[in-house]
């Protein structure tokens, strides 16, 4: 099958170790479906983000083992094997950050990491973070998801010895300017050990966290 | 003495309970000196901010009991009496925030509050904040001074039962955009009980904190 | 009942003197309802903001003494006792600022303050402010709500001797940039004694005003 | 004399009623001097803005009746006749706004208006504005100069029956963002009858005010 | 009738020469209707902007001589008498600027000016402006309405001898950022004699233009 | 036929070599239809952008040889002859950029260029660009369409010897700020030979590319 | 000679038809000198931008035929042959735009174009543009340099039949925000046929203009 | 020794595995010196960033084995042991990015990583990147440093299988807005596997890269 609106990067797995991911926003349902079916036909494991229910419904009917998370808006067919690797901890400040946090979870899982999610531990009630700290400290990499002022990233990074990937979310209003406040806050985190992905980019954080998590193991073996 | 470039708001004390403050930036040394001498002659207590050393030198020579803090850039002659009132706690995230924090301290002191300053307790090493918490909790109002992501305000406000006045500072670089990151962070603080003044506005925070601190006492008497 | 998407900060009242508030935006109606019912079951007084009518309808059916203000979008069950404390004055520039002003009113009332609301006294017809000044001056703290250029905060703060909490609103169009003009105006207020909360954050202002109002009384007793 | 870096718009007076003005910033002293001497030689009345002292010194030595205002940074040689026209009132919020206010004064005077300047009547002490109101109300057009939140324009426009030209200044710091706060405030003025010129553009305001002031008279005669 | 959400500024006409204008955005249809009926009952001439068709329908049914312009979204009942005054010229760059231009037209007409509207003479085809120049030059004041880069204001102001009130519009896309490009362009107009109102503020421009137009005449008589 | 809301620039073809283009956004369907029919009646070739399906449907029914591209939202009637000229290459980073890329294609074709479109060759899989490089290098001018970081423009311009017209698109989310990231990226391209048009302005790029492509040929002949 | 801080792109001429250009800002004088001497040694024609006088002095002493333009801050050694090609017209709005305009001139000349420069024809006095139009119309490509509102690009593009490369400059103050106003104005030009380079990027415009100018000729030959 | 302006976070190494770093900007030379000497006295390895030559000179005189890199502005005393760990590759787009790139190098080295630096491989001459690709691919983590449009991060991340930490620099001018263009570009990188630190934050990138690099090894051992 030839697609005239897309060139599937079939060599991506060779080049970077992982297959291409399908970003569905801005594509029609028909376009996204064609791309996914084409990958499926070539036996490339499929991971799609920002997948609307209509697309998921169509695909899940045709491919029964396709798996859709409506809150995260991710759809996967197959997965990357996850032998012998550490854990990714995803922590989120509030209930409203759930969709972004779950996108990070699903992404890291698809690419082979074990993931543990802890919700609603924003700094307004910082004892909640401390209660979960022992568990969080067992992870090899931390993903911190927060909107508003995004302070969770700074605080968490001062308490752990692993890299923190910070995800600003657009949760908030007024002077949060669609996530700008959290983004700037995280970029200016006073704790070292933080790097940042785009606003609401749970996928990017989960992907990077998995790279860090698995990379360690892989290189120690290689 | 008549000044043609300024009208001293001599009735301010009657109207708002406190005399006018002299903001020296944007005024020549001559203009600032004239205004201050005029107020002095009328026996109005003087508090001047952003006072450069050159101005201070001139005035301290003429008025021996004038008091200048070079780091805070504040100059005072006399003060407002401070009988029977609570305490303002000023906390600051880092050493670089010192000038702004001191401006808040000097302001609240001039207008009649007792003030306690705690430096260098930013959230990157959050145990430092916890160590000082018992002492901080004795204050009637808290001023939180921080640059970069400004997370100190959110974290502190979740730990105390008094109003927090947050002062973003221009400490930082790159995407701090001159204090914008801290300002937005503080405006979006996830803890309630925070209100915010302009970037680097230690004066405004100290003034507001004093109003809150003394107001309480005054009203209980009234 | 265990919630997996939220951790209710049940110790908040101990730590900060007041129970947690439920911010409903970004939560599904089901999530918000579960959280509120959980708090209600634990006998924690409930105050919820940005509560849509659908949520209110459901809860008011189950809990008859729940109280909903559709304009303010606040919902309360019970309240904090309000013995012996001063008055909060909420003033607003125009009719369009009503929802934000009412959110401030309901919040301060829930947490125990007496509140007096004065609408439509923007600076375009400044005599309206002067007419209400005697009454406004009886308050212990002032909340000033305004959109467009937000000048009400500066003008009012020059006329009273108590702290002013300024709330910029998104009322306006074009170069108001969703409330940015009022926000910047209030942060740069030329009168001292002003601190600012987020755009449209009536809740934050009402909460802070109540802290200031009650704080005074409580400390005088303590 | 031929200038290769500038084309003097000698027909401007015919086309728009007034000669071209020399804006000196961005020009070398040599360039500005050449342009001014060229106009002088052609007997065109000269008005130059942002003229640095070095340029003024050179020209005043050669042309004794040239007039320089160091604070306003304006230089004039000759003027436009001012028979039979009303008055422009320039009001300014604070002492730091003086250079911009004076630029407006000198401009309107050069082009033929009578001008009255009132300094330091910002809204923080609004009684000062009221004291000068009777005098201000005698003008045919008002120029309101203010930095910080720029509220003077809104307040004044609600009190007079003539057009208000608002000039935001860069006076302020932090979130004034170089005059942006005053600019946005004035563009969003809640009083009708206000239009705005560029930040610190005293010249533009004085020019426009004069057009309005003289226009009325001229047309009544025409 | 007493309104609890609004205070009609009945003294405005005395103070500023013109009655208050009703800005309908942000008000419910019920609120706007009450305010207008209240003014009508007091025999104050009514001018309302941003009036939606639903409001207009209701009012026109009750008050037959009410007049509604659906494109401009203005509604008027009665008008201010227009004896003996000059002409306002409204010029607009493109067809899409029509609603804003018409709002300016209706406003200036209501307050007593004669108005002439010329559409679609943007600078991309500058000969169209030149063709209308003789007619435009007969006006006492010019309103220039344009989106995109807003160059019409600069070009027109270089060709006339009267004040130009520039209205940036939100016409455009991408880097026009909702009218910001036109706003900045007009504030930085290289021709003197331009002052600017808020984005899409046809009302403000028409009001200011009328003040300038009538003011001239009135003062010559006074 | 006379239109009172538009002046068709009938002399444009004489002045600039090409007829006026109809930009439909911000015009009602009736207005756009009238303008197009008027041009058609005068036998001016018509090219309309941002044409919604409703408009296209109406016109295609009346003028059978009108041609509509629903994805590009362009409508054309007739075309400019394309004898003897080079080729324009349009390249686009991702499938979501298709509408903008197609607008560029249809524009350049209408005005007489041969065009070749290559989709989905973003820099994330840079080998895809290299595979198409020989073909791309045969063009006389390159249009590079990309959202997100817009890196395609920089990379491509380093590989070809012809001018690159870069079109940022609003594809992306969060910190892409509606195309601002791609716009700034392209303006700061580290390769020389890039100039940029407005966000999503496929028309502007196609028009400029055609001017460059045909201009070369025309001048060599002239 | 091996440089460890720079890799000279010696193959650039093969790949893109032109040698690499040395951008001196951000390099020490030593670094810039080493790079230039290295290129000179390899007999690559040298063109350097943002070259400070200190660097120029050093190089001109060692390489007598090096040529330096202090106003444009460009330095060249040798040049690209300019047989048989059309003309580039560079037009600039004001005297202050001269350095940027000259950078464009020197760049296009170095790379082989004939260039004609016309200064000080901004739209405030539009007759000056019309006077030069016949001459401007003989060019194959136009570079329009302007600060403030940048309207020159829109106006010029409506009058010529060739591509216009627009260069916004940082000339202006206040709300020009360092050239942002001109940049946005040019990106939103209402005339088609305009593409834009970075603020103050005279080099980029001259380079692009030369590509367009020579490209035409070269392809007609190829 | 007790410092009243700073609290050294002596427990940081226990909590996060690494000692505190001294950020010298915003501290006086005296303050920075005191802090460093205090740490040195406690035998904590010292790493200081943004250290000016004056500070370095003082310290190197007192502590002979202190090591200062003037270009990177880093100063170190001692280091963290670097047994058995992978390699960090730092790549930079241009010579002007050297100070930031070197700061990353020195940081990662201090904390125990082997580092390889490759300069001047920006995407304008992409073959330079390809030439170094085999070597770059041997690293466990990549730091990509670039100003202007920052495209190096996107391109590199599409070619490697390890995490990329992107550092935007303030190299550029005009619409680079102090590094904003590169920052936004990197946050919107179309390749997954990129996370971003603050503008010019070489330290943050080196620190994060080291965490990732060593983390892998440590966990494989643990």
């Amino acid at each position: 099958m030839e697609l005239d609106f897309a060139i599937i990067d079939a060599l991506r797995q060779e080049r970077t170790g992982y297959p291409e991911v399908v970003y569905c926003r801005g594509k029609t349902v028909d376009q996204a479906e064609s791309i996914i079916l084409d990958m499926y036909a070539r036996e490339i494991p499929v991971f799609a983000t920002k997948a609307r229910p209509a697309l998921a419904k169509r695909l899940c009917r045709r491919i029964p083992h396709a798996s859709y998370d409506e809150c995260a808006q991710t759809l996967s067919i197959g997965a990357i094997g996850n032998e012998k690797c550490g854990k990714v901890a995803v922590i989120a400040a509030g209930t409203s950050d759930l969709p972004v946090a779950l996108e990070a979870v699903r992404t890291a899982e698809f690419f082979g990491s074990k993931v543990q999610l802890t919700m609603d531990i924003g700094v307004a009630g910082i004892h909640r973070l401390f209660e979960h700290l022992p568990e969080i400290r067992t992870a090899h990499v931390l993903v911190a998801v927060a909107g508003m002022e995004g302070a969770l990233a700074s605080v968490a990074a001062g308490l752990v010895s692993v890299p923190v990937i910070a995800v600003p979310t657009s949760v908030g209003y007024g002077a949060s300017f669609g996530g700008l406040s959290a983004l700037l806050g995280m970029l200016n985190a006073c704790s070292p050990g933080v790097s940042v992905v785009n606003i609401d980019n749970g996928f990017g954080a989960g992907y990077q966290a998995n790279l860090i998590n698995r990379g360690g193991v892989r290189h120690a073996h290689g």
Side-chain angles (χ1 to χ4, degrees), chain A:
Chain A
M1 188 170 84
E2 281 268 308
L3 304 174
D4 60 353
F5 54 83
I7 302 175
I8 292 164
D9 187 354
L11 302 176
R12 188 171 184 83
Q13 197 153 1
E14 256 172 60
R15 212 171 64 245
T16 70
Y18 294 109
E20 201 179 8
V21 164
V22 184
Y23 171 64
C24 299
R25 192 181 287 162
K27 297 191 177 73
T28 63
V29 169
D30 285 348
Q31 287 173 336
E33 191 189 24
S34 299
I35 292 170
I36 289 171
L37 291 178
D38 182 85
M39 290 177 77
Y40 180 63
R42 300 189 198 193
E43 305 194 345
I44 303 172
V46 173
F47 190 69
T49 63
K50 311 291 178 204
R52 280 158 298 175
L55 173 65
K57 213 169 158 184
R58 273 208 218 166
L59 284 163
C60 292
R61 218 177 296 145
R62 291 181 69 153
I63 306 171
H65 64 286
S67 164
Y68 181 61
D69 182 324
E70 189 168 351
C71 179
Q73 296 213 280
T74 56
L75 183 144
S76 58
I77 308 173
I80 310 295
N82 65 342
E83 357 102 43
K84 265 192 152 222
C85 91
K87 198 176 65 174
V88 171
V90 175
I91 64 177
T95 304
S96 311
D97 300 313
L98 189 58
V100 177
L102 269 181
E103 194 189 46
V105 170
R106 295 294 168 247
T107 303
E109 284 174 349
F110 176 84
F111 285 102
S113 287
K114 274 168 268 169
V115 186
Q116 140 205 317
L117 171 65
T118 314
M119 289 302 300
D120 204 14
I121 55 170
V123 302
I126 208 166
H127 62 287
R128 297 175 300 187
L129 172 58
F130 282 102
E131 282 164 17
H132 289 85
L133 204 49
E135 190 188 28
I136 289 168
R137 278 182 166 149
T138 63
H140 284 203
V141 55
L142 191 57
V143 173
V145 181
M148 297 178 174
E149 90 289 61
L152 184 60
S154 287
V155 173
L159 296 166
V160 299
S161 60
V162 297
V164 176
I165 306 301
V167 193
T169 71
S170 53
V171 169
Y173 61 94
S176 83
F177 296 125
L180 180 66
S181 61
L183 172 63
L184 293 184
M186 288 166 166
L187 285 167
N188 286 283
C190 54
S191 310
V194 178
S195 59
V196 186
V197 296
N198 193 5
I199 297 165
D200 291 336
N201 189 5
F203 161 69
Y207 190 96
Q208 180 80 312
N210 177 68
L211 274 189
I212 294 171
N213 183 35
R214 293 186 52 120
V217 174
R218 181 165 46 87
H219 293 306
H221 287 192

